Amino acid sequence: MAGNTQASAGPLMPKERVELLDRAWSEAADLYLKELAPRFDPWFKAAMAELQVHELPPGPILVPCCGPGQELLPLHALYGGQRRVVGLDLSRGMIDLARAAIAAPASSSAPAPSGTGQAQQTQQPVEAVVADATALDAFGPAAAIVSVFGLQQMGALAPAALANWGRCLAQGGVAVVVFWPSRVEDQGPWLTFDQVILEKAAADKGQPPPPPDAAAAAEPLAWEVALTEPLRNAEDEAAASGTGPEGAAGSGVEVLVDRLQAFEIRWPSAKYFWKVMTEGGPWRARRLAQGEAAMADLATRFADKYGGMGSDQYGSAPLSHTPAARVVVLRRRRGGPGCVGRADRGTMDSAVAGQGPQAQGRRELSAL
């Protein structure tokens, strides 16, 4: 590995959470790469399109929550191999796959780096590092930060993590972050899963079942509502004081884009969807945390929404849905403050401790 590949601030996510996610995603890595990475690729391409709009300053491209690393080589090729690309993930199994992809011969279908001769000799490295991606201080300042489907797993730490990513940009640098909001679809298997989670929680407590639209009506999580609030407040305060972007004393980061982006996903069946999500996806952590009996109960409840276990509707009927991810693009202003290391820890701890009733009411639901 070249450069500093050990985050000086240390892990910011609680140790138990780090260990659970490390184990879950390490066990899920191969199936995730085979089944979910291709289905999520349209959102990565959308992130690439957002990134290409901007002229970047000098510096590396950081990819927090890089998973099995399928995005690292395309990002490297996008800039002709002239920018260092560093993927970070707390899952050792995911990083093992990322390193294998980096070491493998370039795919014949991958874009070739531009230039020959001397340009080839100055190629920048592609790296994959085991690290807690909630803080990137040891790896910045970055020309760009690209993260697709990692931020939502940070939960209450997400606003502080996003603010840290913005501050760890070089002046004029851009962050493109794509993540799953608490509600991704008006109908479809992810919404169905949220509904059966609520139904099981009520049954476990001896309570009446929730309304059939309970998941659809659930309020978003508090961290999601407040995700860009610190950044927007700093910008508003700078405008009100008349200091302007150069004099802003807040985050030094502006929000350029905050929108939803939907694409269709197809599955051979609802049964296959369940297998991938619980064995190779984000619900594997729930399986580890709650046990096989709890997941078997959820599996039965989920199957019942599609005709029940053993039915053709559940086992062989094609399934499609159109989830919408949230796309946020940040740019660091010229003259804004940079990475601040462990100073973020207090903000992150406050975010965890300050979850209000709104967050409590949605705690049972899944985090994609």
Side-chain angles (χ1 to χ4, degrees):
M1 291 290 173
N4 183 358
T5 57
Q6 180 62 42
S8 59
L12 298 179
M13 197 176 289
K15 180 175 181 290
E16 295 77 10
R17 178 70 172 166
V18 170
E19 291 174 349
L20 175 64
L21 291 178
D22 179 8
R23 180 184 171 191
W25 283 115
S26 292
E27 293 175 355
D30 289 324
L31 189 57
Y32 179 94
L33 181 59
K34 178 183 176 182
E35 297 290 348
L36 283 174
R39 288 179 168 89
F40 292 167
D41 189 58
W43 284 277
F44 172 61
K45 287 184 169 61
M48 293 262 282
E50 292 285 355
L51 187 63
Q52 288 179 274
V53 171
H54 304 278
E55 182 176 347
L56 301 181
I61 298 175
L62 304 182
V63 188
C65 310
C66 69
Q70 76 278 6
E71 301 157 357
L72 302 182
L73 292 177
L75 284 168
H76 193 246
L78 182 64
Y79 294 98
Q82 300 304 298
R83 290 185 184 274
R84 178 181 171 222
V85 176
V86 182
L88 305 95
D89 202 288
L90 55 73
S91 165
R92 289 165 175 78
M94 287 291 193
I95 290 298
D96 286 345
L97 289 181
R99 289 173 176 169
I102 293 168
S107 168
S108 59
S109 62
S114 61
T116 57
Q118 183 63 28
Q120 290 293 329
Q121 297 175 13
T122 59
Q123 291 283 299
Q124 294 297 307
V126 184
E127 306 169 45
V129 182
V130 177
D132 183 343
T134 52
L136 304 180
D137 307 84
F139 303 92
I145 294 171
V146 180
S147 182
V148 181
F149 300 140
L151 188 68
Q152 73 279 348
Q153 294 185 76
M154 298 178 185
L157 297 178
L162 184 65
N164 174 271
W165 294 359
R167 285 192 296 271
C168 287
L169 292 167
Q171 294 185 12
V174 174
V176 182
V177 182
V178 183
F179 66 96
W180 295 118
S182 51
R183 179 175 174 183
V184 301
E185 55 194 7
D186 292 328
Q187 58 181 357
W190 278 331
L191 186 64
T192 299
F193 182 66
D194 277 349
Q195 180 67 26
V196 300
I197 287 176
L198 294 178
E199 291 173 1
K200 175 172 169 49
D204 289 346
K205 297 172 185 176
Q207 299 173 349
D213 63 346
E219 294 288 336
L221 290 164
W223 70 259
E224 182 187 343
V225 174
L227 182 64
T228 60
E229 189 174 292
L231 302 172
R232 295 182 188 279
N233 287 346
E235 190 172 5
D236 292 344
E237 289 168 8
S241 66
T243 57
E246 296 295 333
S251 66
V253 175
E254 57 187 328
V255 181
L256 302 181
V257 174
D258 191 347
R259 63 179 174 83
L260 295 176
Q261 177 69 65
F263 291 103
E264 184 183 32
I265 297 180
R266 297 181 180 181
W267 304 89
S269 66
K271 181 179 180 180
Y272 196 76
F273 166 87
W274 177 265
K275 172 183 172 63
V276 171
M277 293 299 292
T278 58
E279 296 181 13
W283 302 341
R284 189 176 189 99
R286 182 180 290 269
R287 179 188 295 275
L288 295 177
Q290 298 184 359
E292 293 297 330
M295 288 306 291
D297 187 355
L298 284 172
T300 299
R301 293 173 183 276
F302 182 80
D304 287 346
K305 304 293 186 181
Y306 295 92
M309 294 284 189
S311 70
D312 289 342
Q313 181 186 354
Y314 181 63
S316 59
L319 176 68
S320 67
H321 58 130
T322 309
R326 187 171 167 187
V327 180
V328 175
V329 180
L330 311 177
R331 181 172 60 198
R332 187 176 163 208
R333 303 184 188 91
R334 304 285 177 178
C339 295
V340 294
R342 295 190 67 86
D344 281 341
R345 183 57 187 263
T347 305
M348 291 185 175
D349 288 344
S350 296
V352 174
Q355 296 184 75
Q358 186 182 47
Q360 298 294 325
R362 251 198 100 89
R363 179 171 291 177
E364 296 289 350
L365 299 186
S366 66
L368 295 171

